[in-house]
Amino acid sequence: RLRARDMLTRAYEGASLKDGWRPKRAGASANTDHLADGATLRTRARSLVQNVPYVSRAIESLVANTIGCGITPRSLAPNAAKVDDLWAAWTRVADADGHSDFYGLQAMAYRAMEQDGECLIRLRARRPEDGLPVPLQLQVLEIDWLDSARMGSNGANAIMNGIEYDPLGKITAYWIWDQHPGELMPGRRGKSASYPVPADRIIHLFASQRPGQGRGFTRLAPVISRVRDLQLYEDAELQRKNLETRLSVLASG
């Protein structure tokens, strides 16, 4: 009997059920977790970056240390000088929106990936008459452009979280809104719709952490609750100190 009881003892203390710890959605896939929590995590992460100085500083430090002034390739081809000159000319006009250069796009995309968990980079082919050194430009899109609510099927393909997969699990298309869903443009919001963009025209930038993961989670996900609690504590302390400075004593004889 003692031997039988000893066999039932868990080898890993972390697997003990005596502490009452019951993780939520045990066994759910990464895509299911993202479907349930991705949008909320992204919204809260953005709020922390916008309102908490040290969180904003942390993101900026990541960008500065990872991207810096830009990750610059160098050609090792026989005509390396010509290739490098062509690259330098293209980087100045690489932004489809015309606001930045290629290295600015790098920083923007990486910042969005760390803050929101993911972002989209759309490859925009251009005509030869546009006069670009290379007939291609890049457009960095917030992940909000992806129609995450798009679920179901498209023929033999399956659509999950706005991403279309073929029967073998290969990504074939991304369902993109024709305008940012959060854009305040009177008269146009009701006409907004999503449409498929071939996967070879989209770079989906995110850090994959689990096998089969199709969407990214913000880097701030593990600390959102802690940072929020710390903010509430700091606000309470500031309020307490503010009240203490207003205390006074009146004495009469």
Side-chain angles (χ1 to χ4, degrees):
R1 189 175 299 171
L2 291 175
R3 180 176 175 81
R5 289 177 180 173
D6 186 64
M7 292 293 292
L8 293 175
T9 302
R10 296 182 181 274
Y12 292 90
E13 294 180 358
S16 174
L17 302 179
K18 296 181 180 180
D19 57 1
W21 184 14
R22 300 293 189 275
K24 297 180 179 179
R25 287 198 306 276
S29 70
N31 292 327
T32 299
D33 283 343
H34 192 281
L35 181 64
D37 299 332
T40 301
L41 289 174
R42 181 168 66 248
T43 301
R44 293 182 176 182
R46 287 177 180 176
S47 179
L48 291 182
V49 172
Q50 293 168 351
N51 297 287
V52 182
Y54 46 82
V55 174
S56 177
R57 176 60 178 169
I59 295 296
E60 292 301 325
S61 296
L62 281 172
V63 176
N65 286 281
T66 304
I67 304 299
C69 296
I71 302 173
T72 306
R74 286 290 180 263
S75 174
L76 299 179
N79 58 340
K82 183 177 180 180
V83 173
D84 289 340
D85 290 342
L86 181 61
W87 170 265
W90 178 76
T91 56
R92 292 191 287 269
V93 293
D95 186 4
D97 294 330
H99 300 312
S100 184
D101 59 8
F102 178 77
Y103 304 110
L105 294 180
Q106 284 183 354
M108 185 189 306
Y110 180 73
R111 182 183 293 106
M113 184 191 74
E114 296 292 10
Q115 174 185 280
D116 300 341
E118 51 188 337
C119 80
L120 301 176
I121 305 170
R122 187 168 182 178
L123 281 63
R124 295 283 194 176
R126 299 307 186 198
R127 298 175 179 176
E129 54 266 27
D130 291 334
L132 298 175
V134 177
L136 174 70
Q137 287 185 312
L138 307 178
Q139 185 179 26
V140 178
L141 303 175
E142 282 190 320
I143 197 59
D144 306 69
W145 283 83
L146 185 62
D147 185 2
S148 301
R150 175 74 65 167
M151 306 285 289
S153 61
N154 184 20
N157 295 344
I159 304 175
M160 178 70 174
N161 288 355
I163 304 177
E164 184 174 331
Y165 302 86
D166 68 10
L168 297 180
K170 181 181 179 180
I171 299 176
T172 61
Y174 291 85
W175 287 77
I176 308 296
W177 291 106
D178 56 8
Q179 66 183 52
H180 194 296
E183 193 73 65
L184 183 59
M185 298 183 67
R188 289 192 59 190
R189 185 66 186 90
K191 301 178 182 179
S192 182
S194 61
Y195 58 96
V197 176
D200 61 356
R201 309 308 300 172
I202 295 289
I203 298 174
H204 187 191
L205 182 63
F206 72 100
S208 181
Q209 300 171 330
R210 295 176 58 182
Q213 181 176 340
R215 299 286 302 273
F217 293 89
T218 171
R219 179 185 281 262
L220 300 175
V223 300
I224 287 177
S225 296
R226 293 290 184 181
V227 172
R228 176 60 177 166
D229 291 343
L230 182 59
Q231 284 296 107
L232 294 176
Y233 170 75
E234 289 179 350
D235 290 343
E237 279 294 306
L238 290 173
Q239 185 68 16
R240 182 174 69 86
K241 291 297 184 180
N242 187 28
L243 291 176
E244 287 180 356
T245 60
R246 300 170 185 269
L247 293 177
S248 60
V249 177
L250 297 179
S252 62

